[in-house]
Amino acid sequence: MAKQFETIALIGIGLIGSSIAREIKDKGLAGSVVISTRSDATLKRAQELNLGDRYTTSAAEAVKDADLVIVSVPVGASGTVAAEIAANLKPGAIVTDVGSTKGSVIAQMAPHIPQGVHFIPGHPIAGTEYSGPDAGFIGLFKGRWCILTPLPDTDETAKAKLRAFWEALGSMVDDMDPEHHDKVLAIVSHLPHIIAYNIVGTADDLEAVTESEVIKYSASGFRDFTRLAASDPTMWRDVCLHNKDAILEMLARFSEDLAYLQRAIRWGDGDKLFDLFTRTRAIRRSIVQAGQDTDMADFGRHAMDQK
Ligand code: NAP
């Protein structure tokens, strides 16, 4: 694939940053890649994994010659990183991020970005429950959507370059208003994680059922929640704190619908239950048809169970 940028700086080299680094190298998308992370330990690991060409714990130092800067840190740290890099950004450079919330990231970062630098926030809808530089892999973004939430005065040429970058990583790219992004993600990502954290926490707190029973019989459904509930605590703390309004709106709606379900169970209203469960099955089929999951039984897990 052709080189798209002379120098790319990656600030944050965990699951997302290191997956991007692997893709850039694999596809030859940059002349050189500068990697920056705050801790010596993570930087050393990135170096051992040979993820870039230059390594530094100083984000300000990393962005000096960069044509593209990708910030991949927990959303609560976006403002601090933007303040740190602002003075060293090259005129004409593109600055983007991968944060799971957009309104808050824009509020934190935009005030620091100097005139003449293109700030185009983004969010790849791809991930796993693992974190750190070892967790990244080639193919994470393939066939997944990446949402860009450009600001009203965004330069179209810069946006087209960023779009082409994500497409080179195998993503499909959509533009969205940041506020709408935060509502959509509240229901498709943030609420499912909160529900998973909650159900796993409830099971852990139960006295009538022992922990060993929860674990032993988890294949009946519980274990599917534990994958989400094993996600990075820092990342998800920040998502909850930084998409508060949209999450609370969706949680209120969820609680109402749960009360409806609760009433149907209490009054033995089998028709209501059957109708809902039929409707939700169709959603699952649509996700598989859209290529966003496998149609293998048990999410393809039976292959693992054979081991
Ligand atoms: P990760 O694997 O935990 O890596 C986090 C990176 O950010 C590390 O380089 C870490 O540095 C650095 N970092 C942590 N706290 C920081 C702070 N306070 N200040 C500066 N740097 C800090 O995280 P990730 O999963 O790649 O997530 C990164 C971003 O991608 C988050 O904004 C998240 O919302 C978004 N995202 C995640 C997923 C997902 O499924 N995980 C999917 C889409 C988008 P050290 O290790 O050196 O401390």
Side-chain angles (χ1 to χ4, degrees):
M1 225 172 255
K3 182 167 80 179
Q4 294 187 341
F5 295 91
E6 200 47 58
T7 304
I8 299 182
L10 301 175
I11 314 298
I13 197 70
L15 166 71
I16 301 295
S18 78
S19 295
I20 295 172
R22 287 173 168 92
E23 295 283 359
I24 294 170
K25 187 163 268 196
D26 180 62
K27 298 175 172 59
L29 299 174
S32 88
V33 176
V34 190
I35 288 179
S36 175
T37 189
R38 64 176 175 166
S39 74
D40 291 329
T42 304
L43 195 70
K44 183 165 173 274
R45 190 62 194 136
Q47 205 158 359
E48 284 163 2
L49 292 167
N50 197 23
L51 294 175
D53 303 295
R54 281 197 288 129
Y55 302 85
T56 171
T57 50
S58 161
E61 183 63 31
V63 303
K64 266 184 179 158
D65 308 313
D67 311 291
L68 174 65
V69 176
I70 307 178
V71 177
S72 310
V73 301
V75 290
S78 322
T80 313
V81 168
E84 203 182 330
I85 62 176
N88 282 3
L89 290 167
K90 198 165 97 168
I94 298 172
V95 176
T96 188
D97 78 303
V98 298
S100 307
T101 71
K102 295 278 55 94
S104 152
V105 165
I106 292 169
Q108 292 177 74
M109 291 186 72
H112 297 287
I113 307 293
Q115 281 284 331
V117 171
H118 308 291
F119 175 45
I120 311 172
H123 178 201
I125 312 298
T128 73
E129 65 276 31
Y130 300 108
S131 32
D134 285 283
F137 58 94
I138 289 176
L140 175 63
F141 308 108
K142 190 161 188 253
R144 301 282 169 255
W145 286 92
C146 178
I147 300 176
L148 301 181
T149 58
L151 307 179
D153 56 351
T154 297
D155 180 80
E156 287 301 321
T157 312
K159 196 176 84 181
K161 283 186 87 172
L162 186 59
R163 172 182 275 268
F165 175 80
W166 281 107
E167 285 172 350
L169 270 50
S171 289
M172 293 93 69
V173 182
D174 255 349
D175 278 9
M176 210 179 267
D177 166 73
E179 202 180 324
H180 189 62
H181 165 279
D182 288 354
K183 278 201 176 149
V184 172
L185 269 292
I187 189 66
V188 298
S189 171
H190 307 169
L191 216 59
H193 280 82
I194 290 166
I195 292 164
Y197 282 122
N198 191 55
I199 192 171
V200 176
T202 302
D204 192 40
D205 290 341
L206 281 181
E207 279 129 29
V209 181
T210 65
E211 192 180 318
S212 65
E213 284 171 315
V214 168
I215 291 166
K216 189 165 152 193
Y217 304 123
S218 63
S220 54
F222 184 72
R223 72 177 186 187
D224 289 341
F225 286 100
T226 61
R227 186 187 74 73
L228 293 180
S231 299
D232 189 70
T234 306
M235 169 184 160
W236 284 97
R237 176 204 61 196
D238 278 14
V239 168
C240 290
L241 298 179
H242 288 268
N243 196 21
K244 181 174 159 180
D245 292 346
I247 289 175
L248 288 178
E249 186 184 326
M250 294 304 165
L251 266 177
R253 183 64 193 265
F254 172 81
S255 304
E256 271 179 36
D257 291 347
L258 190 62
Y260 172 89
L261 203 57
Q262 196 174 357
R263 224 172 9 253
I265 295 169
R266 182 183 309 285
W267 297 108
D269 193 340
D271 288 346
K272 271 198 181 126
L273 297 173
F274 190 84
D275 286 350
L276 175 67
F277 300 164
T278 305
R279 197 150 54 85
T280 55
R281 230 181 181 189
I283 299 271
R284 170 79 197 152
R285 272 197 298 273
S286 309
I287 290 171
V288 172
Q289 273 161 16
Q292 294 301 308
D293 205 354
T294 171
D295 62 354
M296 287 172 79
D298 201 13
F299 304 113
R301 240 200 220 116
H302 66 285
M304 184 199 83
D305 291 342
Q306 309 293 311
K307 284 187 184 168

